[in-house]
Amino acid sequence: MADAEEQRRKVQKPNVSIEEVRSFVEERFGLSVNEVEELNSYDDRNFLIVSRDGGEKYTCKVHNGVDSENVEFLYAQNRMMRHLLSMGTSCPQPMCTVAGEELTWLKQVIPEKGRKVHAVRLLTYIEGKVLGNTNEFHLLEEVGKLVGTVDRALQDFVDNALDRDFLWDLKNTDKLRSFLGAVHEEWKHAIAASAIENFERKVKPHHNNLRCSPIHNDINDQNIIVDAKHEKVLGVVDFGDIVNTWLVNDIAICLCYFMMEKHDPLQALCAVFRGYCKVTPLLDIELYLLPSLIRCRLACTGIMSAYSYQKDPTNKYLLLTAEPGWKALHYMSQIQDAEITDLLAEVQNSMEENRGGD
Protein backbone atom coordinates (compact mmCIF):
# COMPACT_ATOMS: atom_id res chain seq x y z
CA MET A 1 0.00 0.00 0.00
CA ALA A 2 2.78 2.46 0.92
CA ASP A 3 4.56 2.04 -2.42
CA ALA A 4 1.28 2.34 -4.37
CA GLU A 5 0.42 5.60 -2.59
CA GLU A 6 3.88 7.01 -3.33
CA GLN A 7 3.35 6.35 -7.03
CA ARG A 8 -0.07 8.04 -6.90
CA ARG A 9 1.41 11.13 -5.25
CA LYS A 10 3.56 11.73 -8.31
CA VAL A 11 0.58 11.84 -10.68
CA GLN A 12 -1.76 13.68 -8.29
CA LYS A 13 0.42 16.70 -7.56
CA PRO A 14 -1.74 19.86 -7.78
CA ASN A 15 -1.72 21.82 -11.04
CA VAL A 16 -2.46 25.36 -9.90
CA SER A 17 -1.20 28.80 -10.94
CA ILE A 18 -0.03 31.67 -8.77
CA GLU A 19 -3.04 33.74 -9.84
CA GLU A 20 -5.43 30.94 -8.87
CA VAL A 21 -3.78 30.76 -5.45
CA ARG A 22 -4.02 34.53 -5.00
CA SER A 23 -7.74 34.61 -5.79
CA PHE A 24 -8.44 31.52 -3.70
CA VAL A 25 -6.67 32.86 -0.59
CA GLU A 26 -8.42 36.22 -0.87
CA GLU A 27 -11.83 34.60 -1.22
CA ARG A 28 -11.54 31.79 1.35
CA PHE A 29 -9.32 33.41 3.99
CA GLY A 30 -10.37 37.03 3.56
CA LEU A 31 -6.84 38.32 3.03
CA SER A 32 -5.82 41.16 0.76
CA VAL A 33 -2.83 39.58 -0.99
CA ASN A 34 0.14 41.66 -2.09
CA GLU A 35 2.57 38.93 -3.23
CA VAL A 36 2.51 35.21 -4.02
CA GLU A 37 5.72 33.24 -4.48
CA GLU A 38 6.03 29.50 -5.03
CA LEU A 39 8.23 27.63 -2.56
CA ASN A 40 10.07 24.32 -2.91
CA SER A 41 7.93 21.25 -2.38
CA TYR A 42 7.99 17.52 -2.98
CA ASP A 43 4.46 16.25 -3.65
CA ASP A 44 2.36 19.30 -2.70
CA ARG A 45 2.44 22.89 -3.96
CA ASN A 46 3.55 25.47 -1.39
CA PHE A 47 3.21 29.24 -1.77
CA LEU A 48 4.45 32.18 0.28
CA ILE A 49 1.61 34.66 0.76
CA VAL A 50 2.36 38.28 1.72
CA SER A 51 -0.67 40.35 2.73
CA ARG A 52 -1.21 44.01 1.90
CA ASP A 53 -2.27 44.72 5.47
CA GLY A 54 0.93 44.97 7.49
CA GLY A 55 2.92 42.64 5.23
CA GLU A 56 2.10 39.54 7.29
CA LYS A 57 3.39 36.31 5.74
CA TYR A 58 1.73 32.92 5.45
CA THR A 59 2.34 29.60 3.74
CA CYS A 60 -0.47 28.27 1.56
CA LYS A 61 -0.27 24.49 1.16
CA VAL A 62 -2.21 22.92 -1.72
CA HIS A 63 -2.09 19.21 -0.94
CA ASN A 64 -1.58 16.35 -3.36
CA GLY A 65 -4.50 14.11 -4.24
CA VAL A 66 -3.47 11.27 -1.90
CA ASP A 67 -3.19 13.40 1.24
CA SER A 68 -6.35 15.30 0.25
CA GLU A 69 -8.25 12.03 0.63
CA ASN A 70 -7.02 11.65 4.21
CA VAL A 71 -8.58 14.63 5.96
CA GLU A 72 -7.91 13.31 9.46
CA PHE A 73 -4.19 13.18 8.70
CA LEU A 74 -4.21 16.85 7.68
CA TYR A 75 -6.04 17.76 10.89
CA ALA A 76 -3.48 15.66 12.79
CA GLN A 77 -0.71 17.87 11.40
CA ASN A 78 -2.53 20.90 12.81
CA ARG A 79 -3.00 19.18 16.17
CA MET A 80 0.69 18.28 16.39
CA MET A 81 1.79 21.82 15.55
CA ARG A 82 -0.50 23.26 18.22
CA HIS A 83 0.82 20.72 20.74
CA LEU A 84 4.46 21.56 20.01
CA LEU A 85 3.82 25.30 20.26
CA SER A 86 2.15 24.74 23.64
CA MET A 87 5.33 22.90 24.71
CA GLY A 88 7.58 25.78 23.62
CA THR A 89 8.69 24.75 20.11
CA SER A 90 8.10 27.36 17.41
CA CYS A 91 6.35 25.96 14.33
CA PRO A 92 3.65 27.08 11.86
CA GLN A 93 0.07 27.33 13.11
CA PRO A 94 -3.15 26.80 11.10
CA MET A 95 -5.25 29.79 10.09
CA CYS A 96 -9.03 29.60 9.73
CA THR A 97 -11.07 30.50 6.68
CA VAL A 98 -13.73 33.21 6.85
CA ALA A 99 -16.12 30.34 7.63
CA GLY A 100 -14.01 29.30 10.63
CA GLU A 101 -12.53 26.13 9.08
CA GLU A 102 -8.88 25.03 9.29
CA LEU A 103 -9.20 23.17 5.99
CA THR A 104 -10.80 24.16 2.70
CA TRP A 105 -11.03 22.76 -0.83
CA LEU A 106 -9.77 23.84 -4.24
CA LYS A 107 -11.89 22.32 -7.00
CA GLN A 108 -10.62 22.20 -10.58
CA VAL A 109 -11.79 20.79 -13.87
CA ILE A 110 -8.73 19.83 -15.92
CA PRO A 111 -9.05 18.81 -19.60
CA GLU A 112 -8.51 15.05 -20.08
CA LYS A 113 -8.10 14.55 -16.32
CA GLY A 114 -11.58 15.47 -15.15
CA ARG A 115 -12.52 17.03 -11.82
CA LYS A 116 -9.79 17.35 -9.20
CA VAL A 117 -10.22 18.37 -5.57
CA HIS A 118 -7.27 19.39 -3.40
CA ALA A 119 -7.24 20.22 0.29
CA VAL A 120 -5.78 23.63 1.13
CA ARG A 121 -4.41 24.97 4.42
CA LEU A 122 -3.04 28.39 5.30
CA LEU A 123 -0.30 28.41 7.95
CA THR A 124 1.51 31.14 9.82
CA TYR A 125 5.04 31.84 8.58
CA ILE A 126 8.13 31.70 10.81
CA GLU A 127 10.32 34.72 10.05
CA GLY A 128 13.97 33.85 9.54
CA LYS A 129 16.09 31.89 7.10
CA VAL A 130 16.22 28.24 6.13
CA LEU A 131 19.30 26.79 7.81
CA GLY A 132 20.67 24.97 4.76
CA ASN A 133 24.10 23.36 4.78
CA THR A 134 26.24 24.63 7.66
CA ASN A 135 29.61 23.86 9.20
CA GLU A 136 28.96 25.98 12.29
CA PHE A 137 29.21 23.44 15.08
CA HIS A 138 27.34 25.51 17.67
CA LEU A 139 24.36 25.44 15.28
CA LEU A 140 24.72 21.70 14.67
CA GLU A 141 24.41 21.07 18.40
CA GLU A 142 21.37 23.37 18.51
CA VAL A 143 19.83 21.34 15.67
CA GLY A 144 20.24 18.16 17.71
CA LYS A 145 18.72 19.86 20.73
CA LEU A 146 15.73 20.91 18.61
CA VAL A 147 15.11 17.32 17.45
CA GLY A 148 15.48 16.02 21.00
CA THR A 149 13.07 18.66 22.31
CA VAL A 150 10.49 17.83 19.63
CA ASP A 151 10.79 14.09 20.32
CA ARG A 152 10.49 14.58 24.05
CA ALA A 153 7.40 16.78 23.64
CA LEU A 154 5.73 14.26 21.32
CA GLN A 155 6.09 11.26 23.61
CA ASP A 156 2.84 12.21 25.35
CA PHE A 157 1.07 13.22 22.12
CA VAL A 158 -1.49 10.63 20.95
CA ASP A 159 -3.17 10.76 17.55
CA ASN A 160 -4.47 7.66 15.77
CA ALA A 161 -4.37 9.44 12.41
CA LEU A 162 -0.58 9.00 12.50
CA ASP A 163 -0.89 5.20 12.40
CA ARG A 164 -0.30 5.00 8.67
CA ASP A 165 1.53 2.91 6.10
CA PHE A 166 4.03 5.43 4.72
CA LEU A 167 6.95 4.66 2.42
CA TRP A 168 9.17 7.33 4.03
CA ASP A 169 8.75 5.63 7.42
CA LEU A 170 12.05 3.81 7.97
CA LYS A 171 10.04 0.81 9.18
CA ASN A 172 9.18 0.32 5.50
CA THR A 173 12.73 0.36 4.14
CA ASP A 174 12.32 -3.09 2.57
CA LYS A 175 9.53 -1.70 0.35
CA LEU A 176 12.11 0.47 -1.43
CA ARG A 177 12.99 -2.58 -3.53
CA SER A 178 10.00 -1.74 -5.74
CA PHE A 179 11.71 1.52 -6.76
CA LEU A 180 15.34 0.37 -7.08
CA GLY A 181 14.94 0.05 -10.85
CA ALA A 182 14.94 3.86 -11.12
CA VAL A 183 18.58 3.91 -9.96
CA HIS A 184 20.62 3.24 -13.09
CA GLU A 185 24.21 3.88 -11.99
CA GLU A 186 25.68 0.58 -10.86
CA TRP A 187 27.55 1.86 -7.78
CA LYS A 188 24.48 3.71 -6.49
CA HIS A 189 22.25 0.70 -7.07
CA ALA A 190 24.72 -1.52 -5.18
CA ILE A 191 25.02 0.63 -2.04
CA ALA A 192 21.26 1.26 -1.92
CA ALA A 193 20.55 -2.47 -2.20
CA SER A 194 23.13 -3.11 0.53
CA ALA A 195 21.37 -0.64 2.87
CA ILE A 196 18.06 -2.46 2.33
CA GLU A 197 19.68 -5.85 2.96
CA ASN A 198 21.33 -4.51 6.12
CA PHE A 199 17.91 -3.31 7.32
CA GLU A 200 16.33 -6.71 6.74
CA ARG A 201 19.17 -8.59 8.41
CA LYS A 202 19.99 -6.29 11.32
CA VAL A 203 17.08 -3.94 12.09
CA LYS A 204 13.87 -5.90 11.47
CA PRO A 205 14.62 -8.64 14.05
CA HIS A 206 14.65 -5.92 16.75
CA HIS A 207 11.44 -4.14 15.74
CA ASN A 208 9.68 -5.07 19.00
CA ASN A 209 12.55 -3.71 21.12
CA LEU A 210 12.38 -0.13 19.83
CA ARG A 211 10.38 2.64 21.47
CA CYS A 212 7.50 3.98 19.38
CA SER A 213 6.23 7.55 19.30
CA PRO A 214 4.82 10.19 16.96
CA ILE A 215 7.75 11.87 15.19
CA HIS A 216 8.27 14.73 12.73
CA ASN A 217 10.08 12.33 10.38
CA ASP A 218 11.79 15.00 8.25
CA ILE A 219 13.83 17.45 10.34
CA ASN A 220 16.48 18.33 7.79
CA ASP A 221 18.49 21.42 6.84
CA GLN A 222 15.64 22.72 4.66
CA ASN A 223 13.00 22.43 7.41
CA ILE A 224 14.85 24.27 10.19
CA ILE A 225 14.51 28.04 10.52
CA VAL A 226 17.32 30.16 11.98
CA ASP A 227 17.75 33.88 12.63
CA ALA A 228 19.19 36.19 9.96
CA LYS A 229 22.68 36.05 11.50
CA HIS A 230 22.75 32.23 11.60
CA GLU A 231 23.29 32.35 15.35
CA LYS A 232 20.14 30.74 16.71
CA VAL A 233 17.71 27.97 15.76
CA LEU A 234 14.19 29.42 15.77
CA GLY A 235 11.87 26.57 14.84
CA VAL A 236 10.84 23.74 12.55
CA VAL A 237 8.46 23.58 9.57
CA ASP A 238 6.88 21.05 7.17
CA PHE A 239 4.86 18.45 9.08
CA GLY A 240 3.74 16.52 6.00
CA ASP A 241 5.68 13.34 6.86
CA ILE A 242 4.62 12.90 10.50
CA VAL A 243 3.96 9.32 11.56
CA ASN A 244 3.79 6.98 14.54
CA THR A 245 6.96 4.91 14.30
CA TRP A 246 10.25 4.13 16.04
CA LEU A 247 11.44 7.10 18.10
CA VAL A 248 15.07 6.65 16.99
CA ASN A 249 14.09 7.29 13.35
CA ASP A 250 13.79 11.04 13.95
CA ILE A 251 17.43 11.56 14.93
CA ALA A 252 18.59 9.04 12.28
CA ILE A 253 16.87 11.12 9.59
CA CYS A 254 18.30 14.38 10.91
CA LEU A 255 21.83 12.97 11.16
CA CYS A 256 21.85 11.75 7.58
CA TYR A 257 21.23 15.26 6.23
CA PHE A 258 23.77 16.97 8.46
CA MET A 259 26.60 14.65 7.49
CA MET A 260 26.21 15.58 3.81
CA GLU A 261 28.90 17.73 2.21
CA LYS A 262 30.98 17.88 5.39
CA HIS A 263 34.78 17.76 5.49
CA ASP A 264 34.49 15.48 8.53
CA PRO A 265 31.03 13.81 8.48
CA LEU A 266 31.59 11.91 11.74
CA GLN A 267 32.46 15.11 13.58
CA ALA A 268 29.22 16.65 12.29
CA LEU A 269 27.26 13.57 13.41
CA CYS A 270 28.72 13.87 16.89
CA ALA A 271 27.89 17.59 17.12
CA VAL A 272 24.22 17.05 16.23
CA PHE A 273 23.93 13.95 18.40
CA ARG A 274 25.49 15.75 21.37
CA GLY A 275 22.63 18.24 21.32
CA TYR A 276 20.03 15.50 20.90
CA CYS A 277 21.08 13.24 23.76
CA LYS A 278 21.25 16.18 26.14
CA VAL A 279 17.45 16.16 25.89
CA THR A 280 16.46 12.65 24.73
CA PRO A 281 19.06 9.93 25.38
CA LEU A 282 18.79 6.73 23.35
CA LEU A 283 18.56 3.17 24.62
CA ASP A 284 21.47 0.81 23.89
CA ILE A 285 19.51 -1.03 21.19
CA GLU A 286 18.63 2.28 19.52
CA LEU A 287 22.29 3.31 19.50
CA TYR A 288 23.22 -0.07 18.05
CA LEU A 289 20.78 0.32 15.14
CA LEU A 290 21.27 4.05 14.54
CA PRO A 291 24.00 3.71 11.83
CA SER A 292 21.83 1.22 9.91
CA LEU A 293 18.86 3.58 10.08
CA ILE A 294 20.97 6.50 8.84
CA ARG A 295 21.89 4.40 5.82
CA CYS A 296 18.22 3.49 5.32
CA ARG A 297 17.24 7.15 5.05
CA LEU A 298 20.13 7.99 2.73
CA ALA A 299 19.10 5.08 0.50
CA CYS A 300 15.45 6.16 0.60
CA THR A 301 16.33 9.74 -0.36
CA GLY A 302 18.49 8.61 -3.28
CA ILE A 303 16.09 5.97 -4.59
CA MET A 304 12.98 8.12 -4.35
CA SER A 305 14.71 11.16 -5.86
CA ALA A 306 15.67 9.02 -8.84
CA TYR A 307 12.15 7.63 -9.13
CA SER A 308 10.46 11.03 -8.73
CA TYR A 309 12.78 12.76 -11.18
CA GLN A 310 12.07 9.97 -13.66
CA LYS A 311 8.37 10.84 -13.33
CA ASP A 312 8.87 14.62 -13.41
CA PRO A 313 12.20 15.75 -14.96
CA THR A 314 11.16 19.42 -14.63
CA ASN A 315 11.22 19.35 -10.80
CA LYS A 316 14.84 20.18 -9.96
CA TYR A 317 13.99 20.32 -6.23
CA LEU A 318 13.89 16.53 -6.31
CA LEU A 319 17.65 16.51 -6.91
CA LEU A 320 18.46 19.00 -4.14
CA THR A 321 19.90 16.41 -1.76
CA ALA A 322 20.30 13.52 -4.21
CA GLU A 323 24.00 13.71 -5.09
CA PRO A 324 25.23 14.74 -1.62
CA GLY A 325 23.07 11.92 -0.25
CA TRP A 326 24.63 9.35 -2.54
CA LYS A 327 28.11 10.53 -1.52
CA ALA A 328 27.15 10.28 2.16
CA LEU A 329 25.77 6.77 1.65
CA HIS A 330 29.00 5.76 -0.09
CA TYR A 331 30.95 7.21 2.84
CA MET A 332 28.81 5.23 5.30
CA SER A 333 29.34 2.05 3.30
CA GLN A 334 33.10 2.36 3.85
CA ILE A 335 32.79 2.44 7.66
CA GLN A 336 31.81 -0.33 10.04
CA ASP A 337 28.54 0.35 11.88
CA ALA A 338 30.25 -0.56 15.15
CA GLU A 339 32.73 2.31 14.73
CA ILE A 340 29.90 4.84 14.44
CA THR A 341 27.92 3.27 17.29
CA ASP A 342 30.96 3.40 19.59
CA LEU A 343 31.59 7.03 18.69
CA LEU A 344 28.00 8.11 19.37
CA ALA A 345 27.83 6.01 22.56
CA GLU A 346 30.92 7.85 23.79
CA VAL A 347 29.17 11.17 23.12
CA GLN A 348 26.06 10.07 25.01
CA ASN A 349 28.06 8.66 27.93
CA SER A 350 29.95 11.94 28.29
CA MET A 351 26.63 13.82 28.39
CA GLU A 352 25.35 11.48 31.12
CA GLU A 353 28.55 11.95 33.14
CA ASN A 354 28.19 15.72 32.86
CA ARG A 355 24.58 15.52 34.05
CA GLY A 356 25.66 13.33 36.94
CA GLY A 357 28.23 15.90 37.99
CA ASP A 358 25.75 18.79 38.01
Side-chain angles (χ1 to χ4, degrees):
M1 181 180 175
D3 48 350
E5 284 196 350
E6 190 66 24
Q7 294 179 46
R8 286 177 56 213
R9 281 187 174 89
K10 300 298 168 285
V11 297
Q12 294 188 24
K13 186 167 183 173
N15 181 14
V16 60
S17 70
I18 282 180
E19 283 309 310
E20 284 179 288
V21 171
R22 178 193 298 271
S23 299
F24 187 85
V25 168
E26 289 185 333
E27 175 194 345
R28 297 297 175 89
F29 293 92
L31 292 178
S32 177
V33 177
N34 186 40
E35 298 176 36
V36 181
E37 176 187 339
E38 183 154 14
L39 304 171
N40 286 334
S41 61
Y42 197 80
D43 296 322
D44 302 320
R45 298 285 297 280
N46 296 334
F47 299 88
L48 172 64
I49 307 294
V50 183
S51 74
R52 295 185 189 278
D53 305 323
E56 287 90 353
K57 295 179 181 179
Y58 307 89
T59 300
C60 177
K61 295 187 70 71
V62 185
H63 292 278
N64 66 76
V66 174
D67 288 344
S68 294
E69 294 172 358
N70 190 351
V71 175
E72 269 309 302
F73 173 65
L74 299 179
Y75 283 127
Q77 293 181 42
N78 291 349
R79 290 190 288 267
M80 180 181 283
M81 291 187 292
R82 284 196 296 267
H83 175 79
L84 285 176
L85 185 65
S86 74
M87 300 291 284
T89 296
S90 180
C91 56
Q93 297 297 298
M95 300 293 294
C96 288
T97 66
V98 292
E101 301 290 338
E102 291 184 356
L103 189 67
T104 187
W105 301 93
L106 174 65
K107 300 176 182 178
Q108 297 178 305
V109 177
I110 302 173
E112 299 180 0
K113 292 187 178 181
R115 186 169 177 267
K116 300 290 182 182
V117 181
H118 294 283
V120 179
R121 292 184 300 148
L122 191 70
L123 306 175
T124 57
Y125 184 85
I126 301 179
E127 286 288 355
K129 292 186 174 182
V130 170
L131 173 58
N133 187 31
T134 181
N135 289 302
E136 299 173 59
F137 278 83
H138 74 283
L139 271 181
L140 292 178
E141 190 165 326
E142 285 298 306
V143 165
K145 185 177 178 182
L146 171 69
V147 183
T149 300
V150 167
D151 285 351
R152 186 170 183 173
L154 291 178
Q155 287 182 43
D156 65 353
F157 177 75
V158 178
D159 200 311
N160 293 335
L162 303 187
D163 294 327
R164 62 193 190 114
D165 189 18
F166 184 45
L167 189 66
W168 289 81
D169 180 354
L170 296 184
K171 275 185 177 180
N172 289 323
T173 294
D174 48 355
K175 295 181 180 179
L176 291 173
R177 288 191 184 279
S178 301
F179 300 90
L180 257 178
V183 182
H184 301 301
E185 292 182 68
E186 187 175 341
W187 71 272
K188 292 178 179 177
H189 191 284
I191 58 176
S194 176
I196 297 171
E197 290 162 6
N198 179 272
F199 169 82
E200 292 170 333
R201 182 182 69 255
K202 184 176 177 180
V203 180
K204 285 190 77 172
H206 293 286
H207 72 278
N208 287 329
N209 301 323
L210 298 174
R211 291 178 291 177
C212 290
S213 174
I215 65 169
H216 180 284
N217 204 48
D218 197 23
I219 302 183
N220 62 58
D221 56 333
Q222 299 299 309
N223 288 336
I224 295 172
I225 306 300
V226 297
D227 67 331
K229 295 182 179 180
H230 263 65
E231 293 177 348
K232 184 179 180 182
V233 171
L234 299 180
V236 61
V237 300
D238 195 351
F239 286 72
D241 285 358
I242 60 176
V243 65
N244 281 332
T245 187
W246 300 326
L247 172 67
V248 65
N249 290 359
D250 227 15
I251 186 59
I253 290 164
C254 180
L255 289 174
C256 91
Y257 287 98
F258 284 94
M259 68 179 293
M260 294 180 190
E261 299 185 295
K262 297 293 188 294
H263 174 69
D264 188 340
L266 291 184
Q267 189 179 14
L269 286 185
C270 288
V272 176
F273 189 66
R274 185 176 299 111
Y276 182 84
C277 62
K278 281 182 178 179
V279 184
T280 307
L282 294 183
L283 303 178
D284 288 346
I285 186 61
E286 293 167 335
L287 270 172
Y288 170 67
L289 297 177
L290 186 53
S292 296
L293 292 168
I294 293 171
R295 288 210 276 160
C296 288
R297 178 59 176 221
L298 289 168
C300 184
T301 299
I303 292 168
M304 296 315 300
S305 291
Y307 172 78
S308 301
Y309 187 68
Q310 181 177 283
K311 293 293 181 183
D312 180 12
T314 66
N315 192 342
K316 302 298 182 183
Y317 175 67
L318 299 171
L319 301 180
L320 182 63
T321 58
E323 284 308 312
W326 284 118
K327 291 176 182 176
L329 183 56
H330 179 263
Y331 176 87
M332 289 286 290
S333 70
Q334 305 301 304
I335 304 173
Q336 294 294 318
D337 284 358
E339 180 182 343
I340 301 173
T341 296
D342 290 346
L343 193 61
L344 296 179
E346 185 178 331
V347 170
Q348 179 161 295
N349 290 338
S350 69
M351 292 296 100
E352 291 174 351
E353 289 171 5
N354 289 339
R355 279 195 295 270
D358 290 342

